[in-house]
Short mmCIF file of all heavy atoms in Angstrom, two decimals:
data_model
loop_
_atom_site.label_atom_id
_atom_site.label_comp_id
_atom_site.label_asym_id
_atom_site.label_seq_id
_atom_site.Cartn_x
_atom_site.Cartn_y
_atom_site.Cartn_z
N ALA N 157 82.25 87.34 101.25
CA ALA N 157 82.64 86.52 102.31
C ALA N 157 84.00 86.82 102.91
O ALA N 157 84.88 87.38 102.20
CB ALA N 157 82.68 85.03 101.89
N GLU N 174 100.66 98.99 130.21
CA GLU N 174 100.88 100.07 129.23
C GLU N 174 100.31 99.71 127.89
O GLU N 174 100.99 99.90 126.82
CB GLU N 174 102.42 100.36 129.13
CG GLU N 174 102.99 100.98 130.37
CD GLU N 174 104.52 101.04 130.30
OE1 GLU N 174 105.04 101.85 129.63
OE2 GLU N 174 105.03 100.18 131.01
N TRP N 178 95.95 101.72 118.29
CA TRP N 178 95.45 102.99 117.60
C TRP N 178 95.45 102.78 116.11
O TRP N 178 96.07 101.81 115.58
CB TRP N 178 96.34 104.19 118.00
CG TRP N 178 97.73 104.20 117.57
CD1 TRP N 178 98.33 104.75 116.49
CD2 TRP N 178 98.91 103.55 118.31
NE1 TRP N 178 99.69 104.64 116.45
CE2 TRP N 178 100.03 103.81 117.55
CE3 TRP N 178 98.93 102.84 119.48
CZ2 TRP N 178 101.32 103.38 117.99
CZ3 TRP N 178 100.21 102.36 119.90
CH2 TRP N 178 101.37 102.63 119.15
N SER N 204 99.44 97.77 101.71
CA SER N 204 100.08 98.75 100.82
C SER N 204 99.45 98.62 99.42
O SER N 204 99.34 97.47 98.89
CB SER N 204 101.59 98.39 100.75
OG SER N 204 102.07 98.35 99.42
N SER N 216 110.30 94.52 119.26
CA SER N 216 110.43 94.84 120.71
C SER N 216 111.59 95.90 120.83
O SER N 216 112.75 95.50 120.88
CB SER N 216 110.86 93.55 121.44
OG SER N 216 111.02 93.85 122.85
N PRO N 217 111.22 97.10 120.85
CA PRO N 217 112.20 98.17 120.79
C PRO N 217 113.20 98.12 121.92
O PRO N 217 114.26 98.54 121.65
CB PRO N 217 111.37 99.50 120.81
CG PRO N 217 109.97 99.04 120.56
CD PRO N 217 109.83 97.67 120.92
N ASP N 224 109.41 83.50 121.00
CA ASP N 224 109.09 82.59 119.89
C ASP N 224 107.76 83.04 119.20
O ASP N 224 106.75 83.28 119.91
CB ASP N 224 108.97 81.24 120.54
CG ASP N 224 108.53 80.15 119.55
OD1 ASP N 224 107.35 80.18 119.23
OD2 ASP N 224 109.35 79.47 119.10
N ILE N 266 99.09 83.95 99.86
CA ILE N 266 100.50 83.66 100.08
C ILE N 266 101.06 84.43 101.19
O ILE N 266 100.99 85.70 101.14
CB ILE N 266 101.35 83.68 98.79
CG1 ILE N 266 100.89 82.71 97.75
CG2 ILE N 266 102.84 83.49 99.13
CD1 ILE N 266 101.70 82.79 96.48
N GLY N 310 96.56 88.19 98.34
CA GLY N 310 95.42 87.23 98.22
C GLY N 310 94.68 87.53 96.90
O GLY N 310 94.68 88.69 96.40
N ASN N 338 102.42 85.61 90.07
CA ASN N 338 102.89 86.62 89.06
C ASN N 338 103.04 88.01 89.60
O ASN N 338 103.62 88.88 88.95
CB ASN N 338 101.91 86.69 87.93
CG ASN N 338 101.90 85.45 87.02
OD1 ASN N 338 102.97 84.72 87.02
ND2 ASN N 338 100.83 85.19 86.25
N THR N 355 103.56 104.86 103.27
CA THR N 355 103.15 106.20 103.98
C THR N 355 103.23 107.33 102.87
O THR N 355 102.41 108.19 102.90
CB THR N 355 103.95 106.50 105.23
OG1 THR N 355 105.35 106.46 104.87
CG2 THR N 355 103.70 105.48 106.28
N SER N 414 89.31 101.14 100.58
CA SER N 414 88.45 100.10 100.05
C SER N 414 88.23 100.18 98.55
O SER N 414 87.68 99.24 97.98
CB SER N 414 87.18 100.07 100.82
OG SER N 414 86.48 101.31 100.67
N VAL N 521 70.44 104.72 86.46
CA VAL N 521 70.27 106.18 86.18
C VAL N 521 70.91 106.98 87.30
O VAL N 521 71.67 107.98 87.00
CB VAL N 521 68.77 106.49 86.12
CG1 VAL N 521 68.63 107.98 85.72
CG2 VAL N 521 68.01 105.61 85.13
N VAL N 525 74.63 109.64 87.49
CA VAL N 525 75.07 110.98 88.19
C VAL N 525 76.54 110.98 88.47
O VAL N 525 77.25 112.00 88.23
CB VAL N 525 74.22 111.19 89.44
CG1 VAL N 525 74.71 112.44 90.20
CG2 VAL N 525 72.72 111.35 89.07
N GLY N 586 54.79 107.31 87.28
CA GLY N 586 55.22 108.69 87.42
C GLY N 586 55.83 109.01 88.78
O GLY N 586 55.56 110.10 89.31
N GLY N 704 62.71 106.50 112.07
CA GLY N 704 61.25 106.07 112.07
C GLY N 704 61.17 104.61 112.61
O GLY N 704 62.18 104.00 112.90
N LEU N 787 76.90 128.03 86.72
CA LEU N 787 77.27 127.17 87.85
C LEU N 787 77.40 128.11 89.11
O LEU N 787 78.24 128.99 89.11
CB LEU N 787 78.66 126.52 87.63
CG LEU N 787 79.21 125.70 88.78
CD1 LEU N 787 78.38 124.52 89.02
CD2 LEU N 787 80.63 125.35 88.48
N ALA N 797 77.43 126.84 114.07
CA ALA N 797 78.13 127.49 115.15
C ALA N 797 79.15 126.64 115.75
O ALA N 797 80.09 127.19 116.34
CB ALA N 797 77.15 128.03 116.16
#
Side-chain angles (χ1 to χ4, degrees):
E174 295 166 75
W178 66 97
S204 135
S216 179
D224 175 282
I266 294 178
N338 287 341
T355 54
S414 61
V521 184
V525 170
L787 174 69

